[in-house]
Amino acid sequence: MKFFVDTADTKEIADLAATGLLDGVTTNPSLIHKSGRKFLEVVEEICGLVEGPVSAEVVALDHEGMMKEAAILRKIADNVCVKVPLTVDGLKTCKALTGDGAMVNVTLCFSANQALLAAKAGATFISPFVGRHDDVGFDGMELISDIRLIYDNYGFDTEILVASVRHPIHVLQSAKIGADVMTAPPAVIRQLFKHPLTDNGIAAFLADWQKTGQAIG
Ligand code: E4P
């Protein structure tokens, strides 16, 4: 499963990229606002920090406007992935852009039927929002299982990008279902490394090592 980080904080992205485990980045207008930076500038910087796809979202709601914004975003770097909302105009834009060789991430997906439409529109990625789905009393992970089943039934190439990930259990369940990608905030990715028994084990080994009085090298 590929790991994307869901942030526009370039310091966090650089730190995580240094682990060699980061496959891409997702942003959205709220994350750009949080960064306090200019959209096009921050996307350009992020594209230089990672080799994989960097999702940058259009804000126009009509097809023509989305196409104009996408053209500007695509000029930033080859690894820009244009993010469009799951609407009629968004999917029309998705079809046109992927037909022209662009990467497209269809965002704000909350049903398996929406995911089916996105795959038919040739989306590179579909982003079902599991956390926001859970928030309103639905089972976000059930949505991922349904999309996996449907995509496998028909051999769609669209990658399932699990979004709105809130905790490590979402990551674990995504991997068990066979999602292609998950995008999570930096804090959730850092949590994946942690286990109290790992910390306890290191402390115990180091304490015993000091008693040996030895050094390596
Ligand atoms: C995905 O691309 C979105 O940016 C993101 O995962 C939304 O997450 P949230 O529901 O925590 O805002």
Side-chain angles (χ1 to χ4, degrees):
M1 186 166 69
K2 291 177 208 164
F3 277 28
F4 291 0
V5 65
D6 196 33
T7 186
D9 181 331
T10 49
K11 187 183 171 316
E12 289 277 21
I13 294 166
D15 280 356
L16 287 167
T19 65
L21 301 175
L22 194 61
D23 301 298
V25 177
T26 51
T27 67
N28 63 40
S30 304
L31 293 170
I32 297 297
H33 173 63
K34 196 173 163 192
S35 77
R37 297 188 53 190
K38 288 204 184 309
F39 180 37
L40 300 185
E41 271 176 31
V42 76
V43 169
E44 184 173 3
E45 189 178 334
I46 296 170
C47 286
L49 292 172
V50 295
E51 283 180 15
V54 175
S55 289
E57 190 160 342
V58 298
V59 289
L61 296 178
D62 63 300
H63 172 62
E64 207 174 291
M66 286 184 196
M67 289 300 290
K68 278 188 194 149
E69 291 177 358
I72 293 167
L73 296 173
R74 289 177 70 186
K75 277 191 202 134
I76 295 175
D78 287 344
N79 56 336
V80 162
C81 176
V82 181
K83 205 173 183 188
V84 301
L86 209 154
T87 60
V88 173
D89 284 62
L91 293 188
K92 195 172 161 188
T93 304
C94 172
K95 183 97 182 157
L97 290 174
T98 53
D100 191 40
M103 285 189 286
V104 177
N105 177 357
V106 177
T107 189
L108 291 166
C109 170
F110 292 94
S111 82
N113 276 338
Q114 287 182 316
L116 176 58
L117 291 172
K120 285 176 69 66
T124 317
F125 301 102
I126 181 66
S127 288
F129 278 36
V130 292
R132 293 191 195 186
H133 214 241
D134 292 351
D135 288 345
V136 293
F138 292 95
D139 183 348
M141 296 318 300
E142 195 178 318
L143 174 61
I144 303 303
S145 298
D146 285 348
I147 299 171
R148 179 75 284 157
L149 177 70
I150 291 166
Y151 281 12
D152 288 349
N153 279 348
Y154 296 99
F156 285 120
D157 291 334
T158 300
E159 294 190 38
I160 302 172
L161 194 175
V162 181
S164 189
V165 164
R166 301 272 167 80
H167 46 69
I169 302 297
H170 276 150
V171 180
L172 176 66
Q173 291 174 328
S174 300
K176 286 167 89 169
I177 292 166
D180 302 285
V181 193
M182 74 89 203
T183 190
V188 174
I189 295 181
R190 292 187 198 290
Q191 274 181 286
L192 300 175
F193 290 89
K194 301 293 288 178
H195 196 287
L197 292 181
T198 304
D199 296 340
N200 291 351
I202 289 171
F205 284 153
L206 283 185
D208 286 339
W209 177 250
Q210 276 174 2
K211 288 178 209 158
T212 70
Q214 299 179 51
I216 299 175

